[in-house]
Amino acid sequence: MSANMETPVQQASALAAAISRKQMIIAVMASLLGWSLDLYDLFILLYVAPELGKLFFPTDKPTLSLAAVYASFAVTLFMRPIGSALFGAYADRNGRKRAMVVAVSGVGISTALFGVLPTVAQIGAAAAIIFIILRLVQGVFVGGVVASTHTIGTESVPEKWRGLMSGLVGGGGAALGALLASIVYFVLSSVFSGPEFSEWGWRFMFFTGILSSVLGLFVFKKLEESPLWMQHKKKQETKPEYQQSPVKMVFTKYLSVLLVNLMIVIGGGSAYYLTCGYLPTFLKVINNIPQTVSSIILMVSSISAMVAAVVLGHLSTIIGRKKTFILLGIVNLFALPYLYTELADAQDLTMITLYAMGLAFLGNGSYAPVLIFLNERFPTSIRSTGTGLSWNMGFAVGGMMPTFVTMASRQASDIPSSLAYFFIALFLLYLLGSFIIPETKGNFK
């Protein structure tokens, strides 16, 4: 069969397979590092949430201060769809690489600026306002990172590796970001011990954010553009045709696709934020684990999460995206409430570590196939926009869950039971979406 008679899926697979091994490796590294470094920047806030609650949102009830910090995190998540709309449309029209460079740099710089913010004790309520404004700015850039990193990697590898890439970038990148944050948290907790961490340690946590931009730019300098996007661009040059705005197409022609996507992404995103994202607070508030010990447990849990992301992402290539989602939905519906209940009662450090690893494994694994699933739901011409909006809208809702769980808990001892109820509701939605969606494996066009 001639190239001209090949189907779009065959042409896309042939093009991805034909790129050089070096180009493929760099694309994989760029996607992984771009997302992991930005998640590192976001995890810094989660790791120092108790300190930030006292410094920027002080109240008589510790749970309310924590809820305020998580609320600032959730507000940022609502800006991410805006970032995906802006950077996604840019990436679909001008290339994934350009969008990635600007977005990753923006996240690193905005994160470092948190380290110089004055506290409520220094300038009053204005400190909280400035804090939230900077979080909003950071959210726009993070939305842009999703729109670029979540497409260029999968578009640069053959079909047989796309499920693995989905887990490696989406889940593995998040776990790597958490691992890096855990290491920095461990080092700075040792250097700034006790009260010194609340005064200076948290600031240096944020200062390290600038390093992510420098490292990202070093890798991106050698990155080549997505082969599928280049193919699309050449087609547009030879046969130009009018095309609606990518954002408009997603909200009109692909609206039903977007809405069904959200059922899966909300469940997966919530699982992520209520496990990997909530564990630092849970270990400190419920288990009363010292910071240095907690950071080691979080490092081990991050490794568990990385393994889950890669294994379950690749599993979706073997048995299909739909079956993988159904399997994960059933397991998590029962396992996540059980693990948090057991973790709350655990006294032995070994058991606490094992429960934390189990939570990280299942929480991260629940969205390992999501990235490639979203990629396969949209054509190349709007893939960055569609993937970015689906991912960020779903994760925006998921990111609110720690706030809702904390607010639903009258006291710290209520948090484990609140988590169990939330997980049951969320994974019923996840399972419903899993049964509705079509099988998408191999649907790249």
Side-chain angles (χ1 to χ4, degrees):
M1 178 182 290
S2 66
N4 292 332
M5 297 186 65
E6 289 179 340
T7 66
V9 174
Q10 289 172 325
Q11 291 177 11
S13 297
L15 185 64
I19 67 173
S20 69
R21 179 180 294 271
K22 180 181 178 182
Q23 180 182 350
M24 193 184 305
I25 292 174
I26 293 175
V28 171
M29 288 179 58
S31 288
L32 176 62
L33 281 176
W35 185 230
S36 65
L37 292 174
D38 278 14
L39 264 295
Y40 163 79
D41 292 337
L42 294 179
F43 257 102
I44 290 173
L45 180 135
L46 296 176
Y47 281 37
V48 298
E51 283 75 21
L52 295 180
K54 299 172 187 175
L55 296 171
F56 291 92
F57 307 98
T59 66
D60 294 333
K61 294 185 177 181
T63 53
L64 288 180
S65 293
L66 271 178
V69 176
Y70 282 124
S72 74
F73 188 86
V75 167
T76 303
L77 292 171
F78 279 107
M79 297 302 291
R80 284 166 60 171
I82 296 176
S84 283
L86 295 173
F87 284 91
Y90 183 86
D92 284 328
R93 286 175 168 162
N94 302 284
R96 320 311 194 195
K97 179 178 177 179
R98 293 182 183 179
M100 188 188 296
V101 170
V102 177
V104 171
S105 300
V107 173
I109 294 170
S110 59
T111 299
L113 289 175
F114 281 104
V116 299
L117 292 183
T119 64
V120 168
Q122 295 170 316
I123 64 170
I129 296 173
I130 297 172
F131 183 91
I132 292 173
I133 291 174
L134 192 54
R135 292 288 298 160
L136 296 176
V137 172
Q138 186 187 45
V140 174
F141 285 115
V142 174
V145 174
V146 171
S148 51
T149 59
H150 285 27
T151 50
I152 196 168
T154 51
E155 287 180 343
S156 300
V157 298
E159 165 60 31
K160 64 180 179 179
W161 300 119
R162 286 181 182 146
L164 188 146
M165 270 297 298
S166 176
L168 182 64
V169 176
L176 180 58
L179 177 60
L180 293 173
S182 299
I183 294 172
V184 172
Y185 182 51
F186 173 77
V187 171
L188 291 178
S189 294
S190 301
V191 174
F192 299 95
S193 59
E196 290 185 354
F197 188 83
S198 296
E199 185 174 355
W200 288 106
W202 68 271
R203 292 188 183 276
F204 279 87
M205 286 282 288
F206 285 116
F207 288 153
T208 61
I210 198 68
L211 299 177
S212 67
S213 294
V214 175
L215 181 57
L217 291 175
F218 177 77
V219 174
F220 301 157
K221 188 176 181 180
K222 300 180 180 180
L223 176 66
E224 294 184 37
E225 187 52 77
S226 158
L228 292 185
W229 183 82
M230 291 297 293
Q231 182 187 57
H232 167 69
K233 182 181 179 182
K234 289 179 181 178
K235 182 180 177 182
Q236 289 293 104
E237 290 174 350
T238 55
K239 295 179 65 176
E241 57 183 40
Y242 171 76
Q243 184 177 327
Q244 283 184 319
S245 155
V247 176
K248 187 175 181 179
M249 283 190 69
V250 170
F251 283 106
T252 53
K253 184 178 179 180
Y254 287 86
L255 180 60
S256 61
V257 172
L258 175 66
L259 294 176
V260 174
N261 290 352
L262 290 178
M263 300 177 75
I264 300 290
V265 184
I266 287 172
S270 298
Y272 168 68
Y273 284 115
L274 289 178
T275 55
C276 295
Y278 206 78
L279 271 172
T281 297
F282 196 95
L283 292 173
K284 183 169 186 175
V285 174
I286 304 299
N287 297 106
N288 298 311
I289 303 294
Q291 287 178 339
T292 51
V293 177
S294 175
S295 61
I296 294 174
I297 294 174
L298 292 171
M299 285 184 229
V300 176
S301 299
S302 297
I303 295 171
S304 171
M306 278 189 275
V307 172
V310 174
V311 170
L312 293 169
H314 190 56
L315 179 65
S316 73
T317 296
I318 299 172
I319 68 173
R321 321 300 183 206
K322 185 181 180 78
K323 289 181 181 178
T324 305
F325 285 132
I326 292 173
L327 175 64
L328 286 167
I330 293 172
V331 171
N332 284 333
L333 182 63
F334 299 100
L336 289 177
Y338 170 78
L339 287 171
Y340 256 131
T341 301
E342 292 298 309
L343 177 61
D345 295 331
Q347 300 294 324
D348 181 69
L349 274 178
T350 300
M351 294 307 300
I352 289 174
T353 303
L354 289 174
Y355 288 134
M357 289 176 64
L359 286 163
F361 186 94
L362 292 176
N364 225 45
S366 64
Y367 72 97
V370 164
L371 188 158
I372 187 60
F373 164 71
L374 297 179
N375 283 182
E376 291 166 338
R377 296 280 269 168
F378 300 99
T380 302
S381 59
I382 62 168
R383 182 169 294 126
S384 283
T385 305
T387 295
L389 284 170
S390 298
W391 181 283
N392 281 319
M393 290 173 70
F395 271 72
V397 176
M400 294 175 63
M401 293 304 143
T403 305
F404 290 156
V405 166
T406 308
M407 292 180 68
S409 306
R410 293 185 178 180
Q411 51 193 9
S413 59
D414 295 332
I415 290 177
S417 58
S418 297
L419 282 165
Y421 292 132
F422 271 80
F423 275 130
I424 292 171
L426 288 164
F427 274 95
L428 286 174
L429 175 68
Y430 182 96
L431 269 174
L432 178 61
S434 300
F435 284 111
I436 292 175
I437 61 170
E439 178 54 62
T440 62
K441 189 178 77 169
N443 185 30
F444 245 53
K445 57 184 184 294

